[in-house]
Amino acid sequence: MALEWVVLGYAAGAEAIMLLLLTVPGLEGLRKGLIAVTRNLLKPFMSVVPFCLFLLMDIYWKYETRPSCDDESCAPSEYLRHQKSIMKSQRNALLIAAALILYWLLYSVTSLVVKIEQLNQRLDRLKNRD
């Protein structure tokens, strides 16, 4: 079951790298290529959203079916395993949130960069016309 978390982690990492490359100043020569690559990858990365929802439901199901372990009702090893399971669920929930937020930011930044490029082209055409 760890494979889906690895895939989600790599997807979030790729989103973060593309977001970083789009927002770093000084890459104007590569900007058009980065915009094209990012726009082409936005549709495949959209599959991250339902995948995250599926994983979130998995976390919820595991939380609901997890046996409760109070301080006095279980052995120390069971209590430790229970706490470890809770921490893993919290970590995975943070990974889901990060992947969704990074996708939203990547989509927003890409659309803003495309609009800026279009406005710059329009400005250049108006300057050349005058």
Side-chain angles (χ1 to χ4, degrees), residues 13-124:
E15 290 170 352
I17 289 170
M18 286 188 291
L19 188 62
L20 183 69
L21 288 174
L22 279 176
T23 56
V24 169
L27 297 177
E28 284 78 24
L30 297 173
R31 184 104 34 214
K32 286 185 181 181
L34 288 171
I35 292 170
V37 168
T38 304
R39 287 183 77 188
N40 288 335
L41 287 176
L42 278 176
K43 284 185 183 178
F45 273 151
M46 182 61 176
S47 63
V48 167
V49 175
F51 189 59
C52 285
L53 293 176
F54 168 74
L55 292 175
L56 196 60
M57 288 189 305
D58 183 50
I59 289 173
Y60 178 74
W61 178 78
K62 286 179 183 176
Y63 177 78
E64 286 296 319
T65 60
R66 180 182 303 138
S68 64
C69 187
D70 296 330
D71 293 332
E72 301 168 0
S73 67
C74 58
S77 63
E78 292 174 350
Y79 183 72
L80 183 63
R81 186 172 29 151
H82 178 71
Q83 291 298 323
K84 192 185 235 185
S85 174
I86 290 173
M87 289 184 66
K88 282 183 181 180
S89 295
Q90 291 171 349
R91 177 198 62 198
N92 292 340
L94 283 175
L95 181 61
I96 289 170
L100 291 173
I101 289 171
L102 284 171
Y103 179 78
W104 176 72
L105 283 172
L106 184 64
Y107 178 79
S108 300
V109 167
T110 303
S111 65
L112 287 174
V113 169
V114 167
K115 285 180 185 177
I116 289 172
E117 287 292 324
Q118 290 172 349
L119 289 174
N120 284 338
Q121 289 174 357
R122 183 185 288 173
L123 186 63
D124 288 340

